[in-house]
């Protein structure tokens, strides 16, 4: 199967760092309100463009905000810890499935962080950030085409309601994980194909011994 993972909150515990990066970008632009944890917890479409809109930025600064966050991410050498247990889970899954990361964050920054955690190739076969296509649904389709998987053989795995919606829009199965940015109730209301509370549950769900 083809397993498309979100990155922030699903693979790495990056909530505080991402919030700080977005606050730094908003501060530099001096437009709208500073982002809060609640913004990340409740926003329906968890992208930087939609976050800028939620913060009340102008259309022009909304585009600048997104670019500025990517610049901040590329320049940030810090490494966030992995979600407990996810490293071994990904390595096990990679033995029988193809894994990609479909992320709203900067592709190069994500690739570098995966490498620092020894989760680059051959564990994660490809990272598809917004430089590949704006919408995650389109990047899921790109991954399907690249690795020759049908929709019924493909999952989107994420921690935000927007991940579930993008997976559904791409016509693939979805797994919502509850250890990330958004809470269980919000995720359950989106009716994902599966809902899991711990990384190890993915092994049983995806039939990895």
């Amino acid at each position: 199967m083809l397993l498309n993972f979100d990155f922030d909150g699903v693979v790495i515990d990056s909530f505080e760092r991402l919030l700080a990066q977005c606050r730094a970008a908003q501060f530099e632009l001096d437009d709208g309100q500073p982002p809060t944890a609640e913004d990340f917890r409740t926003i329906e479409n968890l992208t930087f463009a939609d976050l800028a809109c939620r913060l009340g930025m102008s259309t022009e600064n909304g585009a600048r905000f997104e670019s500025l966050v990517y610049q901040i991410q590329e320049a940030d050498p810090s490494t966030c810890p992995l979600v407990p247990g996810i490293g071994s889970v990904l390595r096990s899954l990679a033995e029988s499935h193809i894994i990609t990361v479909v992320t709203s964050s900067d592709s190069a920054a994500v690739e570098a962080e995966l490498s620092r955690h020894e989760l680059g190739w051959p564990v994660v076969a490809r990272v598809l950030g917004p430089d590949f296509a704006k919408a995650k649904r389109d990047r899921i389709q790109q991954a399907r085409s690249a690795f020759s998987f049908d929709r019924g053989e493909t999952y989107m795995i994420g921690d935000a309601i927007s991940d579930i919606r993008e997976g559904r829009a791409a016509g693939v199965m979805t797994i919502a994980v509850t250890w990330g940015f958004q809470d269980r109730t919000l995720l359950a209301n989106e009716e994902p194909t599966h809902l899991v509370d711990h990384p190890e549950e993915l092994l049983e769900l995806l039939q990895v011994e």
Side-chain angles (χ1 to χ4, degrees):
M1 285 186 286
L2 174 63
L3 309 178
N4 302 288
F5 280 79
D6 181 42
F7 186 64
D8 290 288
V10 177
V11 176
I12 60 166
D13 184 6
S14 59
F15 187 88
E16 293 300 330
R17 183 180 69 183
L18 190 59
L19 178 57
Q21 290 169 341
C22 290
R23 283 176 173 167
Q26 184 276 332
F27 180 81
E28 183 166 333
L29 292 172
D30 192 24
D31 188 12
Q33 299 297 315
T36 67
E38 187 67 10
D39 290 320
F40 281 86
R41 300 290 188 200
T42 59
I43 191 170
E44 290 200 5
N45 192 27
L46 188 48
T47 67
F48 298 128
D50 282 73
L51 179 60
C53 183
R54 179 178 175 126
L55 298 176
M57 292 186 187
S58 67
T59 302
E60 178 183 357
N61 277 339
R64 294 177 62 197
F65 175 76
E66 188 173 22
S67 297
L68 187 54
V69 172
Y70 295 147
Q71 292 173 26
I72 292 170
Q73 288 181 330
E74 286 189 6
D76 189 343
S78 67
T79 298
C80 288
L82 292 172
V83 168
I86 197 67
S88 60
V89 167
L90 290 175
R91 292 183 183 96
S92 295
L93 289 172
E95 293 178 4
S96 51
H97 303 298
I98 298 295
I99 296 176
T100 77
V101 167
V102 176
T103 177
S104 295
S105 291
D106 179 77
S107 295
V110 171
E111 287 173 350
E113 189 143 24
L114 286 169
S115 294
R116 291 195 291 271
H117 284 295
E118 300 183 347
L119 290 175
W121 174 264
V123 179
V124 173
R126 187 166 299 180
V127 175
L128 295 99
D131 45 312
F132 282 83
K134 192 72 172 175
K136 282 188 176 182
R137 69 190 72 179
D138 295 330
R139 282 176 266 150
I140 293 168
Q141 302 292 27
Q142 289 176 347
R144 283 186 51 244
S145 296
F147 295 104
S148 301
F149 282 92
D150 294 331
R151 288 183 174 87
E153 303 173 300
T154 304
Y155 279 98
M156 178 64 206
I157 302 165
D159 64 335
I161 56 179
S162 54
D163 294 323
I164 306 310
R165 291 176 181 176
E166 288 296 299
R168 187 181 299 121
V172 305
M173 298 174 287
T174 57
I175 301 175
V177 305
T178 64
W179 59 78
F181 284 14
Q182 298 192 327
D183 70 28
R184 200 179 202 282
T185 300
L186 279 176
L187 295 169
N189 287 342
E190 286 300 313
E191 300 182 344
T193 311
H194 303 284
L195 184 70
V196 299
D197 297 309
H198 305 285
E200 293 76 13
E201 293 176 52
L202 293 170
L203 298 179
E204 181 178 356
L205 179 62
L206 299 167
Q207 300 180 344
V208 174
E209 296 181 356

